[in-house]
Amino acid sequence: MTDQIDNAETSAPETPEAEAPELDMEQEPAAAAPASVTAPKAEEAPKSEYQVLARKYRPKTFDELIGHGPMVKTLSNALESGRLAHAFVLTGVRGIGKTTTARIIARALNCIGPDGKGNATIEPCGVCEHCRAIAEDRHVDVLEMDAASRTGVDDIRELIEGVRYRPTSARYKIYIIDEVHMLSKSAFNALLKTLEEPPEHVKFIFATTEIRKIPITVLSRCQRFDLRRVQTDELAAHYKRIATLEHADIEDEALALIARAADGSVRDGMSLLDQAISHGAGKVTTQQVRDMLGLSDRSRIFDLFDRTMKGEINEALELLGAQYALGGDPAVMLQDMLDLTHWLTRVKLSPEAANDPGVSQIERDRGKEIAAKLAMPQLTRAWQMLLKGLEETRIAPSPIQAAEMILIRLAYAAEMPPPGDLIKKLRNDLNKSGNAPQGGGGNGGGGPGPRMQVVNGGGAAVAHARPDPLGEPEQAPQQVYAKLPETFAEVAELLSKERETTALAIQLKNYMHLVKYEPGRIEFRPARGARADLSSQLIKTLNNLTGHRWLVSVSEREEGAPTLKEQELEELEQRKADASLDPLVKAILDGLPKAKIVAVHLPPGQEETEGEQDDSGSVYDDAFYLEGDDEL
């Protein structure tokens, strides 16, 4: 760790321009170094040469990376067994370590050890010529390309021309292409052949934040690593080590706020930490970080949520106005309430969640108290309303007015009983008054009052109320099918039965490549020409038709089976081919050269005895149509 910090600080003044492209990564120290290691050099270095924390503590080895254990293990085993891929693609959110990881891989592949005789290793020495040159971004055989500024096919042609030549001094010639998803379609196509069969001395490393924009033909030729977001507690521990090395006194709760605001991005959190140290002049409190980030007091969020859910809307609006006057962002406050709703739901389901080490004592006590008062339907309803309200607040002309309306809506809805309780109460009232629903769709007792009919099907109950005969005319209840379709074809048949769903049935037959089907669940790949809202419309329609909750998802990686329409056409072609082999049909086709089979229809009752011939030797007698000569 001492050598690492010395290298980071002594090399920075010598090559400031070489390190300029490295603004997007972070470095984790292996262990807390003594204060005497960094303090003297920090005093000697001029202020103009200050390095931001994201560059100063950029990882130089795999051991210094945080949160990427599976990738490191895979690469370690590959190096030990000699099963190295020729191309890698690294994907993840911004600031997670993609470019830094690519450079570490380049060092690992080209390291020759301190004695100059070493092989590729998962632990690059950091002192050999290649390690130092790659770290300083001046190695002639490690070429970095920014696809955001070089997107054309001409840039890729230049790269392909250089692939043919062997490396000048290193073991491998390595091409690192950052933001590779921004290459044009022509550039990707030009790269395909070289990427599939590159020379043995060439390795490709791609980095991207938009993996879905990369063609599948490119992904299939690469070894993919998904760099996950770093957990909040892991980030907080990492930032605490950095603060210790920087001789900054920061409260643990302040570090937790920074880690939470980083949203899994190490670089984002390092930038916030750098700002917090400057803001607090070396001593940072939780309140200072809240002010810097524009966050509201956590205890006030508990009060605001508690008052709202109790229906005390006047007190809730006063709390909201007070936080807004102190600089709180209405959207951020609703986001905090949304996070609190999620956490309270977890505490409701599993009380052990309140004992998480990252939760403060006040949050633990208040969380258990509020969760015990609220029922699960209230929490789920609050989540839906806050989620919708957060979107409204962000686009509203006056965010504070929108936030107030959300709280009013939530306060009045919080006192409403769950729909299940309403149905139970209605049933009990009907039973007490002698108007219980009758079987077979009967109306129960007489009189002009409302009647209820309960239709069971698919594991759900649908209630239909008949209005007063003197009022509006009754609408026919929608039919609910008791049995779920067993196959995908039965789903299409079910949709075809109703006039209102015929168009959806056509979409299902023509534009859905089935990936997986289970009763109540469909996974498909949409074909060209499919409606954008096909999955949502299918969910809504099937829910109404079957009385069962359906899950319809879109797959982007699986090709799926042919569409039902393609299967029908394929079956028709097969039947036409079989018909052409029939002796009678073959004789007709030979006698009429211009004739062709258009359709094949088996005679009634022939489906069960298909393949059995009559006296003429033909199973297609009077069951096919020919098209061609006029004499037909």
Side-chain angles (χ1 to χ4, degrees), residues 437-465:
Q438 302 294 322
N443 294 329
R451 299 291 183 265
M452 171 171 284
Q453 178 186 12
V454 178
V455 181
N456 292 322
V462 181
H464 303 285

Coordinates of all heavy atoms in Angstrom, one line a residue, residues 437-465:
P437 N -76.1 -14.1 -2.6 CA -76.1 -14.5 -4.0 C -76.5 -15.9 -4.2 O -76.1 -16.8 -3.5 CB -74.7 -14.2 -4.5 CG -73.9 -14.2 -3.2 CD -74.8 -13.7 -2.1
Q438 N -77.3 -16.2 -5.3 CA -77.8 -17.5 -5.6 C -76.9 -18.1 -6.6 O -76.3 -17.5 -7.4 CB -79.2 -17.5 -6.1 CG -80.2 -16.8 -5.1 CD -80.3 -17.6 -3.8 OE1 -80.4 -18.8 -3.9 NE2 -80.4 -17.0 -2.7
G439 N -76.8 -19.5 -6.6 CA -76.1 -20.2 -7.6 C -76.7 -20.1 -9.0 O -77.9 -19.8 -9.1
G440 N -75.9 -20.4 -10.0 CA -76.4 -20.3 -11.4 C -76.8 -18.9 -11.9 O -77.5 -18.8 -12.8
G441 N -76.2 -17.9 -11.2 CA -76.4 -16.5 -11.7 C -77.7 -16.0 -11.2 O -78.2 -15.0 -11.7
G442 N -78.4 -16.6 -10.2 CA -79.7 -16.0 -9.6 C -79.5 -14.7 -9.0 O -78.4 -14.3 -8.6
N443 N -80.6 -14.0 -8.7 CA -80.5 -12.7 -8.1 C -80.8 -12.7 -6.7 O -80.9 -11.6 -6.1 CB -81.4 -11.7 -8.9 CG -81.0 -11.5 -10.3 OD1 -79.8 -11.5 -10.6 ND2 -81.9 -11.3 -11.2
G444 N -81.1 -13.8 -6.0 CA -81.4 -13.8 -4.6 C -82.9 -13.3 -4.4 O -83.8 -13.6 -5.1
G445 N -83.0 -12.5 -3.3 CA -84.4 -12.0 -3.0 C -84.9 -11.0 -3.9 O -84.2 -10.5 -4.8
G446 N -86.2 -10.6 -3.7 CA -86.8 -9.7 -4.6 C -86.4 -8.3 -4.2 O -85.7 -8.0 -3.3
G447 N -87.1 -7.3 -4.9 CA -86.8 -5.9 -4.6 C -85.9 -5.3 -5.6 O -85.1 -5.9 -6.3
P448 N -85.9 -4.0 -5.7 CA -85.2 -3.2 -6.7 C -83.7 -2.9 -6.3 O -83.1 -2.2 -7.0 CB -86.0 -1.9 -6.8 CG -86.5 -1.7 -5.4 CD -86.8 -3.1 -4.9
G449 N -83.3 -3.4 -5.1 CA -81.9 -3.0 -4.6 C -80.9 -3.7 -5.4 O -81.1 -4.6 -6.3
P450 N -79.6 -3.4 -5.2 CA -78.5 -4.0 -5.9 C -78.4 -5.5 -5.6 O -78.6 -5.9 -4.5 CB -77.3 -3.2 -5.4 CG -77.7 -2.6 -4.1 CD -79.1 -2.4 -4.2
R451 N -78.0 -6.3 -6.6 CA -77.7 -7.7 -6.4 C -76.3 -8.0 -6.8 O -75.7 -7.3 -7.6 CB -78.7 -8.5 -7.3 CG -80.1 -8.3 -6.9 CD -80.5 -8.9 -5.6 NE -81.9 -8.7 -5.3 CZ -82.4 -7.7 -4.6 NH1 -81.6 -6.8 -4.1 NH2 -83.7 -7.6 -4.4
M452 N -75.7 -9.0 -6.2 CA -74.3 -9.4 -6.4 C -74.3 -10.8 -6.9 O -74.9 -11.7 -6.4 CB -73.4 -9.2 -5.2 CG -72.0 -9.8 -5.4 SD -70.9 -9.4 -4.1 CE -70.6 -7.7 -4.5
Q453 N -73.5 -11.1 -8.0 CA -73.2 -12.4 -8.5 C -71.7 -12.6 -8.4 O -71.0 -11.8 -9.0 CB -73.7 -12.5 -9.9 CG -73.5 -13.9 -10.5 CD -73.9 -14.0 -12.0 OE1 -74.1 -12.9 -12.6 NE2 -73.9 -15.2 -12.5
V454 N -71.3 -13.7 -7.8 CA -69.8 -14.0 -7.7 C -69.5 -15.2 -8.7 O -70.1 -16.2 -8.6 CB -69.5 -14.4 -6.3 CG1 -68.0 -14.8 -6.2 CG2 -69.7 -13.3 -5.3
V455 N -68.6 -14.9 -9.6 CA -68.2 -15.9 -10.6 C -66.8 -16.4 -10.3 O -65.9 -15.5 -10.2 CB -68.2 -15.3 -12.0 CG1 -67.9 -16.4 -13.1 CG2 -69.7 -14.8 -12.3
N456 N -66.6 -17.6 -10.0 CA -65.3 -18.2 -9.6 C -64.6 -18.7 -10.9 O -65.2 -19.4 -11.7 CB -65.4 -19.3 -8.6 CG -65.9 -18.8 -7.3 OD1 -65.5 -17.7 -6.9 ND2 -66.8 -19.5 -6.6
G457 N -63.4 -18.4 -11.0 CA -62.6 -18.9 -12.1 C -61.2 -18.5 -12.1 O -60.8 -17.4 -11.8
G458 N -60.3 -19.5 -12.3 CA -58.8 -19.1 -12.3 C -58.3 -18.7 -11.0 O -57.3 -18.0 -11.0
G459 N -58.9 -19.1 -9.9 CA -58.3 -18.8 -8.6 C -58.7 -17.4 -8.1 O -58.1 -16.9 -7.2
A460 N -59.6 -16.7 -8.8 CA -60.0 -15.4 -8.4 C -61.5 -15.2 -8.3 O -62.3 -16.1 -8.9 CB -59.4 -14.3 -9.3
A461 N -62.1 -14.2 -7.7 CA -63.5 -14.0 -7.6 C -63.8 -12.7 -8.2 O -63.2 -11.7 -7.9 CB -64.0 -14.1 -6.2
V462 N -64.8 -12.6 -9.2 CA -65.1 -11.4 -9.8 C -66.6 -11.1 -9.4 O -67.5 -11.9 -9.6 CB -65.0 -11.5 -11.3 CG1 -65.4 -10.2 -12.0 CG2 -63.6 -11.9 -11.7
A463 N -66.8 -9.9 -8.9 CA -68.2 -9.5 -8.4 C -68.8 -8.6 -9.4 O -68.2 -7.7 -9.9 CB -68.1 -8.9 -7.0
H464 N -70.1 -8.9 -9.8 CA -70.9 -8.1 -10.7 C -72.1 -7.6 -9.9 O -72.9 -8.4 -9.4 CB -71.3 -8.9 -11.9 CG -70.2 -9.5 -12.6 ND1 -69.3 -8.8 -13.5 CD2 -69.7 -10.8 -12.7 CE1 -68.4 -9.6 -14.0 NE2 -68.6 -10.8 -13.5
A465 N -72.3 -6.3 -9.9 CA -73.4 -5.7 -9.2 C -74.5 -5.3 -10.2 O -74.2 -4.7 -11.2 CB -73.0 -4.5 -8.3

